[in-house]
Amino acid sequence: MNISIAATDDEIAACYPIMHQLRPHLTQSEFVPRIRRLMEMGYRLAALTDEGEVVAVAGFRFGENLAWGRFLYVDDLVTDANRRSRGYGSALLNWLKQHAAAAGCDQLHLDSGTWRKDAHRFYEREGMRLSSFHFVSAVRAE
């Protein structure tokens, strides 16, 4: 098992099949260019590989605000549906926590859809707690 930041286009593209399971609206042709645009704003894509194959990915970024101080925010966290319950998600989340601590972060944050009950149980098992509600409003003019 190895975890590293996907840096090359090939490494980013290798993450697509797993990320697509979490973000099915993304197309393969737009994935690398979109990740590259996000990277310009600080987004990073961590890939967990086992025997040379990507089995879990996490998209994250660093930030700082008045409420949380310096933090690592996890935008995306997903393990291949066919390989869950093998410790990959836990290993990736622990790596993210260590990465956050090494970068001087006070906290790690993530949002999870209200319907993702299995994910919520996983996060709670990993020592995370439900701390707030996230509200959203569409603002795009039609």
Side-chain angles (χ1 to χ4, degrees), residues 66-141:
L66 296 175
W68 304 335
R70 183 158 168 74
F71 61 89
L72 184 150
Y73 184 83
V74 181
D75 292 273
D76 317 289
L77 179 62
V78 59
T79 298
D80 181 8
N82 296 319
R83 296 179 183 176
R84 293 199 176 129
S85 298
R86 297 183 191 181
Y88 298 131
S90 182
L92 190 50
L93 188 57
N94 284 329
W95 182 91
L96 288 163
K97 289 176 184 176
Q98 292 170 4
H99 200 63
C105 293
D106 299 311
Q107 300 179 359
L108 179 144
H109 285 261
L110 62 80
D111 287 329
S112 181
T114 56
W115 61 94
R116 299 182 47 81
K117 302 297 184 194
D118 289 341
H120 303 164
R121 283 190 291 277
F122 167 73
Y123 299 136
E124 288 173 348
R125 273 196 318 268
E126 295 299 314
M128 298 187 81
R129 64 179 175 80
L130 180 62
S131 66
S132 64
F133 291 100
H134 177 96
F135 294 91
V136 64
S137 178
V139 296
R140 183 183 297 200

Side-chain angles (χ1 to χ4, degrees), residues 7-21:
T8 69
D9 286 357
D10 287 344
E11 290 169 342
I12 294 168
C15 296
Y16 174 77
I18 307 305
M19 185 66 80
H20 187 255
Q21 293 177 30

Side-chain angles (χ1 to χ4, degrees), residues 12 15-35 37-38 43 45 57 75-76 78:
I12 294 168
C15 296
Y16 174 77
I18 307 305
M19 185 66 80
H20 187 255
Q21 293 177 30
L22 179 65
R23 309 285 183 222
H25 62 282
L26 297 175
T27 64
Q28 190 166 7
S29 64
E30 75 176 319
F31 186 68
V32 172
R34 191 158 187 186
I35 295 296
R37 284 194 309 277
L38 291 171
Y43 181 91
L45 186 61
V57 297
D75 292 273
D76 317 289
V78 59

